[in-house]
Amino acid sequence: MKVDHAMIMAAGLGTRMRPLTNDKPKPLVQVAGKALLDHCLDHLRDASVRHIVTNVHYRPEMIESHMRGVQGFESIQISDERDILLETGGGLVKAQPYLGSQPFLCMNSDNIWTNGDDNAILKLADRWDDKRMDALLLLVPKPQAYCHNGVGDFYLDENDAIIRRGDRESAPYVYTGIQIVSHRLLRDPPIGAFSTNIFWDRAIGEGRLFGAVHDAKWFDIGSPTAIPIAEEELEKEILVYE
């Protein structure tokens, strides 16, 4: 499958990234010489995604200004959440008119990843099975999740269907914030702000939520302390591939 449309989640308040977000939105925080948002855009260009949607809430004019200077895409849209922050699920629903009619990519703006031998976005697209799936989540093995304090999010069954950690102490895979989404996933949404977990739980119950494992480095840029760790590891990657 070819993914033509992508949404970048960029509307969060960035409270855990303070003081760096006192005067700018989190997606514009710099890591390894470029804004988090630009790391996302580089990956989207590499995967030949053509149409981009970015939602905004905190200091929205700064992201809008930044996106006006972005090149390499056929269209760039802003989904405006100035009046109310809609969380991940509500944000997807509001942006849906900009996301075409085919399955689309959705990604958080506060993570960085390396591709290694496989382009993560192209891997997701290659694994997509429209007959079976309403969403396909990119996962990394827990040891590959840098700067991440969680105990793991999911298991996978023998068919790569998602199983939640539930009451278990840990799970082997961490969700990267990157997924391919069918518009079917967004049917009959609640009103207002809500989490994508509402959609995921329904898809799990229907056997239509799946995962694909990306065996490369992924960085959760959730606080200022994550930045030097990510920069050091990314520098190692540059040396390896030079």
Side-chain angles (χ1 to χ4, degrees), residues 55-103:
N55 63 346
V56 295
H57 175 75
Y58 175 63
R59 295 189 177 270
E61 69 286 346
M62 296 183 72
I63 293 180
E64 289 175 326
S65 176
H66 188 87
M67 294 302 290
R68 281 195 290 271
V70 169
Q71 298 181 348
F73 301 99
E74 291 185 21
S75 70
I76 296 174
Q77 303 286 346
I78 298 294
S79 183
D80 194 335
E81 298 180 26
R82 280 176 172 83
D83 294 338
I84 180 172
L85 183 60
L86 292 171
E87 300 183 39
T88 53
L92 273 173
V93 170
K94 182 174 178 63
Q96 195 173 8
Y98 301 127
L99 290 167
S101 60
Q102 299 302 310

mmCIF file of all heavy atoms in Angstrom, residues 55-103:
data_model
loop_
_atom_site.group_PDB
_atom_site.id
_atom_site.type_symbol
_atom_site.label_atom_id
_atom_site.label_comp_id
_atom_site.label_asym_id
_atom_site.label_seq_id
_atom_site.Cartn_x
_atom_site.Cartn_y
_atom_site.Cartn_z
ATOM 1 N N ASN A 55 -2.058 19.215 13.748
ATOM 2 C CA ASN A 55 -2.985 19.931 14.622
ATOM 3 C C ASN A 55 -2.216 20.882 15.538
ATOM 4 O O ASN A 55 -1.017 20.722 15.770
ATOM 5 C CB ASN A 55 -3.891 18.977 15.407
ATOM 6 C CG ASN A 55 -3.135 18.066 16.353
ATOM 7 O OD1 ASN A 55 -1.916 17.932 16.288
ATOM 8 N ND2 ASN A 55 -3.865 17.407 17.237
ATOM 9 N N VAL A 56 -2.909 21.908 16.020
ATOM 10 C CA VAL A 56 -2.258 22.933 16.839
ATOM 11 C C VAL A 56 -3.190 23.334 17.988
ATOM 12 O O VAL A 56 -4.412 23.331 17.862
ATOM 13 C CB VAL A 56 -1.915 24.198 16.008
ATOM 14 C CG1 VAL A 56 -0.871 23.878 14.947
ATOM 15 C CG2 VAL A 56 -3.146 24.815 15.365
ATOM 16 N N HIS A 57 -2.555 23.683 19.112
ATOM 17 C CA HIS A 57 -3.310 24.219 20.256
ATOM 18 C C HIS A 57 -2.446 25.208 21.034
ATOM 19 O O HIS A 57 -2.765 26.397 21.081
ATOM 20 C CB HIS A 57 -3.767 23.086 21.174
ATOM 21 C CG HIS A 57 -4.440 23.574 22.423
ATOM 22 N ND1 HIS A 57 -5.727 24.075 22.424
ATOM 23 C CD2 HIS A 57 -3.999 23.651 23.714
ATOM 24 C CE1 HIS A 57 -6.062 24.434 23.653
ATOM 25 N NE2 HIS A 57 -5.022 24.193 24.459
ATOM 26 N N TYR A 58 -1.335 24.737 21.616
ATOM 27 C CA TYR A 58 -0.468 25.592 22.420
ATOM 28 C C TYR A 58 0.477 26.378 21.504
ATOM 29 O O TYR A 58 1.174 25.802 20.680
ATOM 30 C CB TYR A 58 0.328 24.726 23.400
ATOM 31 C CG TYR A 58 1.360 25.474 24.211
ATOM 32 C CD1 TYR A 58 0.971 26.478 25.094
ATOM 33 C CD2 TYR A 58 2.708 25.167 24.094
ATOM 34 C CE1 TYR A 58 1.912 27.159 25.853
ATOM 35 C CE2 TYR A 58 3.654 25.836 24.846
ATOM 36 C CZ TYR A 58 3.254 26.824 25.720
ATOM 37 O OH TYR A 58 4.194 27.504 26.469
ATOM 38 N N ARG A 59 0.470 27.712 21.652
ATOM 39 C CA ARG A 59 1.261 28.598 20.798
ATOM 40 C C ARG A 59 1.127 28.207 19.321
ATOM 41 O O ARG A 59 2.112 27.954 18.615
ATOM 42 C CB ARG A 59 2.725 28.605 21.234
ATOM 43 C CG ARG A 59 2.927 29.197 22.643
ATOM 44 C CD ARG A 59 4.382 29.407 22.970
ATOM 45 N NE ARG A 59 4.542 30.035 24.273
ATOM 46 C CZ ARG A 59 4.594 31.347 24.488
ATOM 47 N NH1 ARG A 59 4.470 32.172 23.463
ATOM 48 N NH2 ARG A 59 4.760 31.832 25.713
ATOM 49 N N PRO A 60 -0.109 28.154 18.845
ATOM 50 C CA PRO A 60 -0.355 27.623 17.494
ATOM 51 C C PRO A 60 0.279 28.447 16.391
ATOM 52 O O PRO A 60 0.671 27.906 15.348
ATOM 53 C CB PRO A 60 -1.876 27.653 17.387
ATOM 54 C CG PRO A 60 -2.322 28.713 18.344
ATOM 55 C CD PRO A 60 -1.360 28.620 19.490
ATOM 56 N N GLU A 61 0.392 29.762 16.612
ATOM 57 C CA GLU A 61 0.941 30.613 15.561
ATOM 58 C C GLU A 61 2.389 30.255 15.242
ATOM 59 O O GLU A 61 2.845 30.429 14.099
ATOM 60 C CB GLU A 61 0.826 32.089 15.963
ATOM 61 C CG GLU A 61 1.715 32.544 17.101
ATOM 62 C CD GLU A 61 1.286 32.074 18.484
ATOM 63 O OE1 GLU A 61 0.138 31.598 18.622
ATOM 64 O OE2 GLU A 61 2.094 32.194 19.416
ATOM 65 N N MET A 62 3.118 29.700 16.215
ATOM 66 C CA MET A 62 4.506 29.338 15.972
ATOM 67 C C MET A 62 4.606 28.114 15.066
ATOM 68 O O MET A 62 5.467 28.058 14.170
ATOM 69 C CB MET A 62 5.231 29.100 17.302
ATOM 70 C CG MET A 62 5.335 30.337 18.178
ATOM 71 S SD MET A 62 6.262 30.047 19.714
ATOM 72 C CE MET A 62 7.941 29.901 19.056
ATOM 73 N N ILE A 63 3.740 27.146 15.291
ATOM 74 C CA ILE A 63 3.746 25.964 14.413
ATOM 75 C C ILE A 63 3.240 26.340 13.029
ATOM 76 O O ILE A 63 3.787 25.895 12.006
ATOM 77 C CB ILE A 63 2.916 24.826 15.029
ATOM 78 C CG1 ILE A 63 3.606 24.306 16.293
ATOM 79 C CG2 ILE A 63 2.723 23.691 14.016
ATOM 80 C CD1 ILE A 63 2.882 23.187 16.983
ATOM 81 N N GLU A 64 2.210 27.170 12.963
ATOM 82 C CA GLU A 64 1.712 27.608 11.649
ATOM 83 C C GLU A 64 2.801 28.311 10.860
ATOM 84 O O GLU A 64 2.986 28.068 9.653
ATOM 85 C CB GLU A 64 0.505 28.526 11.840
ATOM 86 C CG GLU A 64 -0.738 27.811 12.314
ATOM 87 C CD GLU A 64 -1.881 28.762 12.616
ATOM 88 O OE1 GLU A 64 -1.604 29.891 13.088
ATOM 89 O OE2 GLU A 64 -3.035 28.381 12.383
ATOM 90 N N SER A 65 3.550 29.186 11.518
ATOM 91 C CA SER A 65 4.631 29.897 10.852
ATOM 92 C C SER A 65 5.706 28.924 10.378
ATOM 93 O O SER A 65 6.221 29.034 9.255
ATOM 94 C CB SER A 65 5.238 30.938 11.805
ATOM 95 O OG SER A 65 6.351 31.575 11.219
ATOM 96 N N HIS A 66 6.043 27.973 11.226
ATOM 97 C CA HIS A 66 7.050 26.973 10.861
ATOM 98 C C HIS A 66 6.608 26.177 9.642
ATOM 99 O O HIS A 66 7.396 25.964 8.709
ATOM 100 C CB HIS A 66 7.292 26.038 12.049
ATOM 101 C CG HIS A 66 8.428 25.093 11.855
ATOM 102 N ND1 HIS A 66 9.728 25.413 12.155
ATOM 103 C CD2 HIS A 66 8.465 23.823 11.373
ATOM 104 C CE1 HIS A 66 10.519 24.395 11.880
ATOM 105 N NE2 HIS A 66 9.777 23.411 11.412
ATOM 106 N N MET A 67 5.367 25.756 9.632
ATOM 107 C CA MET A 67 4.880 24.911 8.536
ATOM 108 C C MET A 67 4.793 25.678 7.227
ATOM 109 O O MET A 67 4.885 25.081 6.144
ATOM 110 C CB MET A 67 3.519 24.311 8.887
ATOM 111 C CG MET A 67 3.550 23.328 10.063
ATOM 112 S SD MET A 67 4.661 21.920 9.815
ATOM 113 C CE MET A 67 3.788 21.006 8.546
ATOM 114 N N ARG A 68 4.636 26.984 7.284
ATOM 115 C CA ARG A 68 4.610 27.773 6.040
ATOM 116 C C ARG A 68 5.946 27.703 5.303
ATOM 117 O O ARG A 68 6.005 27.911 4.080
ATOM 118 C CB ARG A 68 4.229 29.229 6.342
ATOM 119 C CG ARG A 68 2.740 29.426 6.555
ATOM 120 C CD ARG A 68 2.352 30.895 6.491
ATOM 121 N NE ARG A 68 2.835 31.645 7.631
ATOM 122 C CZ ARG A 68 2.157 31.800 8.778
ATOM 123 N NH1 ARG A 68 0.956 31.251 8.902
ATOM 124 N NH2 ARG A 68 2.656 32.507 9.772
ATOM 125 N N GLY A 69 7.007 27.414 6.017
ATOM 126 C CA GLY A 69 8.319 27.307 5.377
ATOM 127 C C GLY A 69 8.693 25.901 4.956
ATOM 128 O O GLY A 69 9.788 25.686 4.415
ATOM 129 N N VAL A 70 7.821 24.936 5.188
ATOM 130 C CA VAL A 70 8.125 23.534 4.872
ATOM 131 C C VAL A 70 7.902 23.273 3.387
ATOM 132 O O VAL A 70 6.891 23.685 2.811
ATOM 133 C CB VAL A 70 7.254 22.590 5.727
ATOM 134 C CG1 VAL A 70 7.349 21.151 5.240
ATOM 135 C CG2 VAL A 70 7.677 22.693 7.196
ATOM 136 N N GLN A 71 8.822 22.555 2.788
ATOM 137 C CA GLN A 71 8.727 22.217 1.375
ATOM 138 C C GLN A 71 8.785 20.702 1.198
ATOM 139 O O GLN A 71 9.125 19.957 2.106
ATOM 140 C CB GLN A 71 9.853 22.890 0.585
ATOM 141 C CG GLN A 71 9.810 24.398 0.636
ATOM 142 C CD GLN A 71 10.915 25.047 -0.166
ATOM 143 O OE1 GLN A 71 11.853 24.385 -0.599
ATOM 144 N NE2 GLN A 71 10.802 26.352 -0.366
ATOM 145 N N GLY A 72 8.420 20.256 0.000
ATOM 146 C CA GLY A 72 8.538 18.848 -0.333
ATOM 147 C C GLY A 72 7.250 18.066 -0.240
ATOM 148 O O GLY A 72 7.276 16.833 -0.370
ATOM 149 N N PHE A 73 6.121 18.752 -0.038
ATOM 150 C CA PHE A 73 4.820 18.093 0.043
ATOM 151 C C PHE A 73 3.838 18.806 -0.887
ATOM 152 O O PHE A 73 3.979 19.995 -1.159
ATOM 153 C CB PHE A 73 4.284 18.104 1.471
ATOM 154 C CG PHE A 73 5.193 17.422 2.457
ATOM 155 C CD1 PHE A 73 6.055 18.172 3.246
ATOM 156 C CD2 PHE A 73 5.210 16.045 2.563
ATOM 157 C CE1 PHE A 73 6.914 17.542 4.142
ATOM 158 C CE2 PHE A 73 6.067 15.413 3.457
ATOM 159 C CZ PHE A 73 6.927 16.162 4.245
ATOM 160 N N GLU A 74 2.840 18.069 -1.343
ATOM 161 C CA GLU A 74 1.842 18.662 -2.233
ATOM 162 C C GLU A 74 0.869 19.560 -1.487
ATOM 163 O O GLU A 74 0.362 20.541 -2.041
ATOM 164 C CB GLU A 74 1.086 17.561 -2.982
ATOM 165 C CG GLU A 74 1.938 16.821 -3.998
ATOM 166 C CD GLU A 74 1.145 15.819 -4.803
ATOM 167 O OE1 GLU A 74 -0.099 15.963 -4.884
ATOM 168 O OE2 GLU A 74 1.761 14.891 -5.348
ATOM 169 N N SER A 75 0.570 19.203 -0.230
ATOM 170 C CA SER A 75 -0.318 20.055 0.566
ATOM 171 C C SER A 75 0.030 19.920 2.035
ATOM 172 O O SER A 75 0.493 18.871 2.494
ATOM 173 C CB SER A 75 -1.792 19.682 0.342
ATOM 174 O OG SER A 75 -2.091 18.418 0.911
ATOM 175 N N ILE A 76 -0.174 21.022 2.761
ATOM 176 C CA ILE A 76 0.011 21.059 4.206
ATOM 177 C C ILE A 76 -1.202 21.755 4.802
ATOM 178 O O ILE A 76 -1.510 22.898 4.437
ATOM 179 C CB ILE A 76 1.296 21.796 4.600
ATOM 180 C CG1 ILE A 76 2.527 21.043 4.076
ATOM 181 C CG2 ILE A 76 1.376 21.959 6.113
ATOM 182 C CD1 ILE A 76 3.827 21.768 4.298
ATOM 183 N N GLN A 77 -1.894 21.078 5.695
ATOM 184 C CA GLN A 77 -3.096 21.622 6.327
ATOM 185 C C GLN A 77 -2.882 21.747 7.836
ATOM 186 O O GLN A 77 -2.118 20.980 8.436
ATOM 187 C CB GLN A 77 -4.299 20.707 6.071
ATOM 188 C CG GLN A 77 -4.611 20.450 4.609
ATOM 189 C CD GLN A 77 -5.254 21.643 3.928
ATOM 190 O OE1 GLN A 77 -5.713 22.572 4.593
ATOM 191 N NE2 GLN A 77 -5.312 21.613 2.606
ATOM 192 N N ILE A 78 -3.568 22.706 8.425
ATOM 193 C CA ILE A 78 -3.568 22.886 9.873
ATOM 194 C C ILE A 78 -4.950 22.540 10.404
ATOM 195 O O ILE A 78 -5.957 23.083 9.929
ATOM 196 C CB ILE A 78 -3.212 24.335 10.258
ATOM 197 C CG1 ILE A 78 -1.803 24.701 9.784
ATOM 198 C CG2 ILE A 78 -3.347 24.526 11.768
ATOM 199 C CD1 ILE A 78 -0.690 23.938 10.441
ATOM 200 N N SER A 79 -5.006 21.641 11.374
ATOM 201 C CA SER A 79 -6.252 21.325 12.062
ATOM 202 C C SER A 79 -6.253 22.118 13.374
ATOM 203 O O SER A 79 -5.457 21.842 14.277
ATOM 204 C CB SER A 79 -6.363 19.821 12.331
ATOM 205 O OG SER A 79 -7.599 19.503 12.936
ATOM 206 N N ASP A 80 -7.117 23.095 13.472
ATOM 207 C CA ASP A 80 -7.063 24.104 14.521
ATOM 208 C C ASP A 80 -7.813 23.650 15.771
ATOM 209 O O ASP A 80 -9.033 23.467 15.750
ATOM 210 C CB ASP A 80 -7.673 25.404 13.990
ATOM 211 C CG ASP A 80 -7.365 26.598 14.866
ATOM 212 O OD1 ASP A 80 -7.117 26.404 16.075
ATOM 213 O OD2 ASP A 80 -7.361 27.726 14.351
ATOM 214 N N GLU A 81 -7.077 23.460 16.868
ATOM 215 C CA GLU A 81 -7.674 23.109 18.159
ATOM 216 C C GLU A 81 -7.425 24.204 19.186
ATOM 217 O O GLU A 81 -7.313 23.946 20.381
ATOM 218 C CB GLU A 81 -7.127 21.767 18.650
ATOM 219 C CG GLU A 81 -7.444 20.592 17.739
ATOM 220 C CD GLU A 81 -6.893 19.270 18.249
ATOM 221 O OE1 GLU A 81 -6.712 19.130 19.484
ATOM 222 O OE2 GLU A 81 -6.629 18.374 17.425
ATOM 223 N N ARG A 82 -7.347 25.452 18.711
ATOM 224 C CA ARG A 82 -7.100 26.558 19.627
ATOM 225 C C ARG A 82 -8.113 26.609 20.762
ATOM 226 O O ARG A 82 -7.771 26.852 21.916
ATOM 227 C CB ARG A 82 -7.162 27.888 18.871
ATOM 228 C CG ARG A 82 -5.929 28.256 18.091
ATOM 229 C CD ARG A 82 -6.198 29.538 17.322
ATOM 230 N NE ARG A 82 -5.008 30.076 16.686
ATOM 231 C CZ ARG A 82 -4.541 29.667 15.514
ATOM 232 N NH1 ARG A 82 -5.173 28.688 14.866
ATOM 233 N NH2 ARG A 82 -3.451 30.213 15.004
ATOM 234 N N ASP A 83 -9.371 26.412 20.443
ATOM 235 C CA ASP A 83 -10.434 26.611 21.434
ATOM 236 C C ASP A 83 -10.494 25.508 22.474
ATOM 237 O O ASP A 83 -10.816 25.752 23.628
ATOM 238 C CB ASP A 83 -11.796 26.723 20.729
ATOM 239 C CG ASP A 83 -11.896 27.966 19.873
ATOM 240 O OD1 ASP A 83 -11.141 28.929 20.130
ATOM 241 O OD2 ASP A 83 -12.705 27.976 18.929
ATOM 242 N N ILE A 84 -10.192 24.270 22.052
ATOM 243 C CA ILE A 84 -10.224 23.149 22.980
ATOM 244 C C ILE A 84 -9.270 22.072 22.492
ATOM 245 O O ILE A 84 -9.270 21.726 21.313
ATOM 246 C CB ILE A 84 -11.654 22.565 23.138
ATOM 247 C CG1 ILE A 84 -11.644 21.379 24.115
ATOM 248 C CG2 ILE A 84 -12.250 22.186 21.796
ATOM 249 C CD1 ILE A 84 -13.030 20.876 24.468
ATOM 250 N N LEU A 85 -8.427 21.591 23.401
ATOM 251 C CA LEU A 85 -7.508 20.510 23.087
ATOM 252 C C LEU A 85 -8.297 19.206 23.076
ATOM 253 O O LEU A 85 -8.902 18.827 24.073
ATOM 254 C CB LEU A 85 -6.389 20.459 24.129
ATOM 255 C CG LEU A 85 -5.291 19.436 23.914
ATOM 256 C CD1 LEU A 85 -4.563 19.666 22.592
ATOM 257 C CD2 LEU A 85 -4.298 19.492 25.084
ATOM 258 N N LEU A 86 -8.287 18.516 21.945
ATOM 259 C CA LEU A 86 -9.200 17.391 21.729
ATOM 260 C C LEU A 86 -8.606 16.028 22.041
ATOM 261 O O LEU A 86 -9.258 15.011 21.818
ATOM 262 C CB LEU A 86 -9.692 17.415 20.275
ATOM 263 C CG LEU A 86 -10.597 18.598 19.928
ATOM 264 C CD1 LEU A 86 -10.840 18.658 18.428
ATOM 265 C CD2 LEU A 86 -11.914 18.494 20.677
ATOM 266 N N GLU A 87 -7.370 15.981 22.563
ATOM 267 C CA GLU A 87 -6.667 14.726 22.810
ATOM 268 C C GLU A 87 -6.473 13.967 21.492
ATOM 269 O O GLU A 87 -6.799 14.445 20.407
ATOM 270 C CB GLU A 87 -7.379 13.875 23.861
ATOM 271 C CG GLU A 87 -7.505 14.551 25.219
ATOM 272 C CD GLU A 87 -8.141 13.635 26.244
ATOM 273 O OE1 GLU A 87 -7.843 12.417 26.251
ATOM 274 O OE2 GLU A 87 -8.966 14.131 27.035
ATOM 275 N N THR A 88 -5.946 12.759 21.583
ATOM 276 C CA THR A 88 -5.551 12.053 20.365
ATOM 277 C C THR A 88 -6.743 11.618 19.523
ATOM 278 O O THR A 88 -6.768 11.798 18.302
ATOM 279 C CB THR A 88 -4.688 10.842 20.710
ATOM 280 O OG1 THR A 88 -5.376 10.032 21.680
ATOM 281 C CG2 THR A 88 -3.345 11.284 21.285
ATOM 282 N N GLY A 89 -7.757 11.050 20.159
ATOM 283 C CA GLY A 89 -8.919 10.581 19.404
ATOM 284 C C GLY A 89 -9.734 11.714 18.815
ATOM 285 O O GLY A 89 -10.088 11.702 17.636
ATOM 286 N N GLY A 90 -10.019 12.706 19.641
ATOM 287 C CA GLY A 90 -10.779 13.850 19.158
ATOM 288 C C GLY A 90 -10.023 14.620 18.091
ATOM 289 O O GLY A 90 -10.619 15.142 17.138
ATOM 290 N N GLY A 91 -8.689 14.690 18.233
ATOM 291 C CA GLY A 91 -7.885 15.364 17.232
ATOM 292 C C GLY A 91 -7.931 14.666 15.886
ATOM 293 O O GLY A 91 -8.007 15.318 14.833
ATOM 294 N N LEU A 92 -7.907 13.334 15.894
ATOM 295 C CA LEU A 92 -8.024 12.576 14.650
ATOM 296 C C LEU A 92 -9.365 12.836 13.966
ATOM 297 O O LEU A 92 -9.434 13.034 12.750
ATOM 298 C CB LEU A 92 -7.867 11.089 14.932
ATOM 299 C CG LEU A 92 -6.456 10.519 14.945
ATOM 300 C CD1 LEU A 92 -6.485 9.069 15.410
ATOM 301 C CD2 LEU A 92 -5.819 10.615 13.572
ATOM 302 N N VAL A 93 -10.419 12.826 14.753
ATOM 303 C CA VAL A 93 -11.756 13.025 14.181
ATOM 304 C C VAL A 93 -11.866 14.410 13.556
ATOM 305 O O VAL A 93 -12.394 14.571 12.446
ATOM 306 C CB VAL A 93 -12.832 12.803 15.253
ATOM 307 C CG1 VAL A 93 -14.203 13.231 14.745
ATOM 308 C CG2 VAL A 93 -12.864 11.332 15.681
ATOM 309 N N LYS A 94 -11.355 15.438 14.245
ATOM 310 C CA LYS A 94 -11.444 16.799 13.710
ATOM 311 C C LYS A 94 -10.652 16.942 12.410
ATOM 312 O O LYS A 94 -11.070 17.631 11.479
ATOM 313 C CB LYS A 94 -10.944 17.807 14.741
ATOM 314 C CG LYS A 94 -11.067 19.260 14.260
ATOM 315 C CD LYS A 94 -10.704 20.242 15.337
ATOM 316 C CE LYS A 94 -10.771 21.683 14.846
ATOM 317 N NZ LYS A 94 -12.137 22.077 14.438
ATOM 318 N N ALA A 95 -9.501 16.258 12.332
ATOM 319 C CA ALA A 95 -8.648 16.368 11.144
ATOM 320 C C ALA A 95 -9.092 15.466 10.006
ATOM 321 O O ALA A 95 -8.565 15.588 8.890
ATOM 322 C CB ALA A 95 -7.205 16.037 11.521
ATOM 323 N N GLN A 96 -10.033 14.591 10.244
ATOM 324 C CA GLN A 96 -10.398 13.579 9.254
ATOM 325 C C GLN A 96 -10.725 14.139 7.863
ATOM 326 O O GLN A 96 -10.348 13.525 6.854
ATOM 327 C CB GLN A 96 -11.559 12.740 9.779
ATOM 328 C CG GLN A 96 -11.773 11.446 9.009
ATOM 329 C CD GLN A 96 -12.825 10.556 9.662
ATOM 330 O OE1 GLN A 96 -13.504 10.962 10.619
ATOM 331 N NE2 GLN A 96 -12.970 9.341 9.164
ATOM 332 N N PRO A 97 -11.393 15.295 7.745
ATOM 333 C CA PRO A 97 -11.681 15.809 6.394
ATOM 334 C C PRO A 97 -10.438 16.101 5.556
ATOM 335 O O PRO A 97 -10.523 16.156 4.330
ATOM 336 C CB PRO A 97 -12.458 17.099 6.675
ATOM 337 C CG PRO A 97 -13.064 16.896 8.015
ATOM 338 C CD PRO A 97 -12.057 16.105 8.782
ATOM 339 N N TYR A 98 -9.284 16.266 6.193
ATOM 340 C CA TYR A 98 -8.049 16.545 5.468
ATOM 341 C C TYR A 98 -7.269 15.279 5.109
ATOM 342 O O TYR A 98 -6.208 15.375 4.477
ATOM 343 C CB TYR A 98 -7.123 17.435 6.305
ATOM 344 C CG TYR A 98 -7.691 18.757 6.703
ATOM 345 C CD1 TYR A 98 -7.702 19.153 8.039
ATOM 346 C CD2 TYR A 98 -8.208 19.645 5.757
ATOM 347 C CE1 TYR A 98 -8.209 20.384 8.431
ATOM 348 C CE2 TYR A 98 -8.716 20.874 6.127
ATOM 349 C CZ TYR A 98 -8.715 21.237 7.464
ATOM 350 O OH TYR A 98 -9.220 22.464 7.844
ATOM 351 N N LEU A 99 -7.748 14.123 5.515
ATOM 352 C CA LEU A 99 -6.930 12.909 5.484
ATOM 353 C C LEU A 99 -7.299 11.947 4.370
ATOM 354 O O LEU A 99 -6.986 10.755 4.439
ATOM 355 C CB LEU A 99 -7.011 12.209 6.855
ATOM 356 C CG LEU A 99 -6.283 12.971 7.972
ATOM 357 C CD1 LEU A 99 -6.641 12.430 9.346
ATOM 358 C CD2 LEU A 99 -4.773 12.928 7.755
ATOM 359 N N GLY A 100 -7.928 12.449 3.324
ATOM 360 C CA GLY A 100 -8.218 11.616 2.170
ATOM 361 C C GLY A 100 -9.242 10.541 2.478
ATOM 362 O O GLY A 100 -9.935 10.568 3.490
ATOM 363 N N SER A 101 -9.305 9.552 1.601
ATOM 364 C CA SER A 101 -10.286 8.477 1.762
ATOM 365 C C SER A 101 -9.645 7.127 2.050
ATOM 366 O O SER A 101 -10.335 6.182 2.428
ATOM 367 C CB SER A 101 -11.135 8.361 0.490
ATOM 368 O OG SER A 101 -10.318 8.075 -0.633
ATOM 369 N N GLN A 102 -8.320 7.042 1.900
ATOM 370 C CA GLN A 102 -7.614 5.781 2.095
ATOM 371 C C GLN A 102 -6.962 5.749 3.481
ATOM 372 O O GLN A 102 -6.885 6.768 4.166
ATOM 373 C CB GLN A 102 -6.555 5.615 1.005
ATOM 374 C CG GLN A 102 -7.112 5.571 -0.405
ATOM 375 C CD GLN A 102 -8.130 4.461 -0.601
ATOM 376 O OE1 GLN A 102 -7.873 3.311 -0.252
ATOM 377 N NE2 GLN A 102 -9.300 4.804 -1.129
ATOM 378 N N PRO A 103 -6.482 4.585 3.928
ATOM 379 C CA PRO A 103 -5.764 4.534 5.203
ATOM 380 C C PRO A 103 -4.611 5.542 5.219
ATOM 381 O O PRO A 103 -3.937 5.760 4.206
ATOM 382 C CB PRO A 103 -5.256 3.089 5.250
ATOM 383 C CG PRO A 103 -6.257 2.323 4.443
ATOM 384 C CD PRO A 103 -6.640 3.242 3.328
#
